[in-house]
Amino acid sequence: QVQLVESGGGLVQAGGSLRLSCAASRRTFNTIGWFRQAPGKEREFVAAISWRGGNTYYADSVKGRSTISRDNAKNTVYLQMDSLKPEDTAVYYCAAGAGTTVTRQDYWGQGTQVTVSS
């Protein structure tokens, strides 16, 4: 099993920034990334990165406003989010697997709440 521990969520005003972190107990999977789920909505992809090549993938909704990065020595990934909007409010989940779809994720973190106020 792989344990994923997220941190960095919180309350931020619209236009502000924050950085989410996800620490993985092991790095045997291909990709690690972030998904989010707002109340009444399905979980959706946000961003992902491959451990080996550092290839990055972004959802259109956050492209240009977010940057995902990794620190292989620490088994940790980061999601820097800028120019936050109220519609970014959701529980953000770290996920490890082999792609950018919910069904291809093998492990999930507990989630961290991101609330953007106007």
Side-chain angles (χ1 to χ4, degrees), residues 4 28-33 35 49-51 94-108:
L4 304 174
T28 59
F29 38 82
N30 293 325
T31 62
I32 188 167
F35 293 74
I49 189 169
S50 63
W51 282 115
C94 183
T100 61
T101 63
V102 171
T103 56
R104 288 289 288 155
Q105 308 307 306
D106 298 313
Y107 305 97
W108 294 89

Side-chain angles (χ1 to χ4, degrees), residues 10-118:
L11 176 64
V12 63
Q13 293 184 345
S17 301
L18 57 76
R19 188 180 72 161
L20 305 182
S21 299
C22 175
S25 61
R26 294 191 294 123
R27 201 176 72 243
T28 59
F29 38 82
N30 293 325
T31 62
I32 188 167
W34 296 90
F35 293 74
R36 67 186 183 186
Q37 188 166 23
K41 297 183 179 180
E42 295 185 348
R43 192 166 299 185
E44 64 178 6
F45 168 74
V46 178
I49 189 169
S50 63
W51 282 115
R52 295 180 180 178
N55 305 107
T56 58
Y57 310 88
Y58 298 96
D60 289 340
S61 59
V62 302
K63 190 175 299 182
R65 300 188 294 124
S66 300
T67 303
I68 190 168
S69 60
R70 75 200 196 284
D71 186 336
N72 286 17
K74 297 181 179 180
N75 286 357
T76 301
V77 297
Y78 307 94
L79 181 65
Q80 176 69 39
M81 298 190 292
D82 303 312
S83 300
L84 286 165
K85 307 173 182 179
E87 49 263 45
D88 292 319
T89 296
V91 176
Y92 284 68
Y93 297 91
C94 183
T100 61
T101 63
V102 171
T103 56
R104 288 289 288 155
Q105 308 307 306
D106 298 313
Y107 305 97
W108 294 89
Q110 80 284 358
T112 184
Q113 177 71 48
V114 172
T115 302
V116 184
S117 64
S118 59

